[in-house]
Amino acid sequence: EEIPFVLPETGENEVWEVLADTAFGDRPGPAPALPGGQPFPLYGRSLVLMRAVLKDEVSHPVTSTQIAKLRRDARAMREQPEQPE
């Protein structure tokens, strides 16, 4: 189910960079960088991580494999017993 959303306005030389979008996984999704004020498709039960950056600083989006690794690492850190100081 698509949820209508419009990106907040950005500075003159800035765009919204899509870092991760769980609705698409490793498949191509919407453009990796969009100017503010543009419609952006959001989907129920998914997460989109974006940041405003200068147009010439746009990098590559995070893959679902990288997200899964970050989740595993965070879970492992929570499960470690506390070390005395």
Side-chain angles (χ1 to χ4, degrees):
E1 165 187 349
E2 187 172 324
I3 301 166
F5 179 73
V6 176
L7 296 170
E9 292 294 333
T10 57
E12 184 177 319
N13 196 30
E14 292 180 325
V15 292
W16 286 104
E17 178 183 22
V18 178
L19 299 175
D21 188 342
T22 62
F24 292 96
D26 287 330
R27 296 174 293 144
L34 298 164
Q38 297 293 312
F40 185 86
L42 294 177
Y43 294 92
R45 296 180 183 86
S46 65
L47 173 125
V48 177
L49 177 62
M50 304 176 95
R51 68 177 180 164
V53 296
L54 295 174
K55 289 178 184 178
D56 59 347
E57 293 179 354
V58 174
S59 62
H60 301 287
V62 179
T63 67
S64 60
T65 303
Q66 291 169 314
I67 292 171
K69 171 125 176 55
L70 290 170
R71 286 180 179 154
R72 283 192 307 271
D73 291 350
R75 193 174 305 120
M77 288 179 66
R78 284 193 307 266
E79 293 171 357
Q80 289 180 354
E82 290 187 32
Q83 299 293 326
E85 292 184 29

